[in-house]
Amino acid sequence: MNIAINGVARKGADQPPVVVYDQVRKLYGSFVAIDGVSVQVNKGEVMCLIGPSGSGKSTLLRCTNSLEGINGGRVLFDGEPLPESETEMRKIRRRMGMVFQNFELFPHKNALDNVAMGPITVLGMNEADARKRAMALLDKVGLANKAANYPAGLSGGQQQRVAIARALAMEPEVMLFDEPTSALDPETIGEVLNVMKRLADEGMTMVVVTHEMTFARQVANWVVVFDHGKVVEQGPPAQIFDNPSAERTRDFLGHLGWHA
């Protein structure tokens, strides 16, 4: 199901997709949160999900690793539908890193221990090797000098960078970001986005729910526009931001100051 829009080939289109959402439907009672969404994520690409708040973006992201169950359609990872068994699903989650809006760090552990915990408890890595990996990842996100700090002693941006390092410590095949800068003050948004851009430059497969349109325009390979639980448009960022075909996309971007 390799999609090309207006003749533009997608990054990773020569390989099987990493994640496929096939007619995914999600209900909360009678409310339709996701209504027949079909999208795929290719290896090595950065896909940004944009659109108004409440349009289904974060819900779809949480369906990727079964934090939310679906009511119709399929989610496939590495060519296989997500398993119904929670035991098998935990194995899949190890291959997906997720970064939330509100960091979700353990407050009673310092930065180094937050990052090292997953490899020790989930992967069975010995403590020395796990801490070595954790230190290297803290250095990668620019926080080697904060290894001994507890979350309360870190800024919001620093906490989010620790959360990214923690997700990377599991050596995931895909990284899921759920509005990773929405809880940050303007001064620290840039430091998190810079880390994400470096990951993109290194070829990490990423799905990013974001309201940071400049990031989506400059870093994404593919942009998906949501409205009322549906995909109204998808394509390369140049198309979405410079020549959107859907009126709803034009209205949404126009309200944010983007004018094609």
Side-chain angles (χ1 to χ4, degrees), residues 47-51 57-58 177-181 193 196 208-213 215-216 252:
M47 174 186 287
C48 281
L49 311 183
I50 68 171
K57 308 178 302 295
S58 291
F177 292 89
D178 186 10
E179 299 192 33
T181 60
L193 294 179
M196 294 170 63
V208 184
V209 174
T210 186
H211 290 287
E212 299 293 334
M213 295 299 107
F215 176 86
F252 170 69

Side-chain angles (χ1 to χ4, degrees), residues 21-181:
Y21 307 95
D22 179 19
Q23 291 296 313
V24 172
R25 187 172 170 84
K26 172 65 180 177
L27 307 176
Y28 294 105
S30 61
F31 175 71
V32 181
I34 304 175
D35 191 6
V37 167
S38 292
V39 177
Q40 73 178 50
V41 185
N42 288 347
K43 183 176 176 59
E45 80 176 350
V46 178
M47 174 186 287
C48 281
L49 311 183
I50 68 171
S53 295
S55 59
K57 308 178 302 295
S58 291
T59 301
L60 186 72
L61 195 76
R62 292 172 67 85
C63 291
T64 312
N65 58 6
S66 285
L67 290 181
E68 295 280 358
I70 61 176
N71 300 101
R74 303 183 301 166
V75 179
L76 291 84
F77 177 69
D78 198 20
E80 298 290 336
L82 295 183
E84 295 183 9
S85 161
E86 180 61 24
T87 299
E88 292 303 311
M89 192 59 228
R90 281 197 293 268
K91 296 177 183 177
I92 298 296
R93 289 194 188 106
R94 295 176 192 175
R95 301 164 64 188
M96 302 182 188
M98 188 157 188
V99 178
F100 300 89
Q101 298 179 35
N102 295 314
F103 325 136
E104 307 290 343
L105 298 178
F106 294 106
H108 61 290
K109 292 184 177 294
N110 63 28
L112 184 67
D113 289 337
N114 260 282
V115 178
M117 186 175 181
I120 293 170
T121 60
V122 179
L123 301 182
M125 184 178 289
N126 71 65
E127 185 173 343
D129 287 344
R131 291 172 70 86
K132 182 177 180 181
R133 176 184 291 185
M135 196 67 202
L137 288 167
L138 287 174
D139 185 54
K140 183 184 184 76
V141 300
L143 291 173
N145 63 332
K146 301 292 186 180
N149 287 51
Y150 288 81
L154 299 171
S155 70
Q158 290 169 340
Q159 289 185 63
Q160 194 62 294
R161 283 187 282 159
V162 172
I164 293 172
R166 181 180 61 182
L168 291 173
M170 300 295 288
E171 298 188 332
E173 296 165 44
V174 58
M175 286 284 287
L176 311 174
F177 292 89
D178 186 10
E179 299 192 33
T181 60

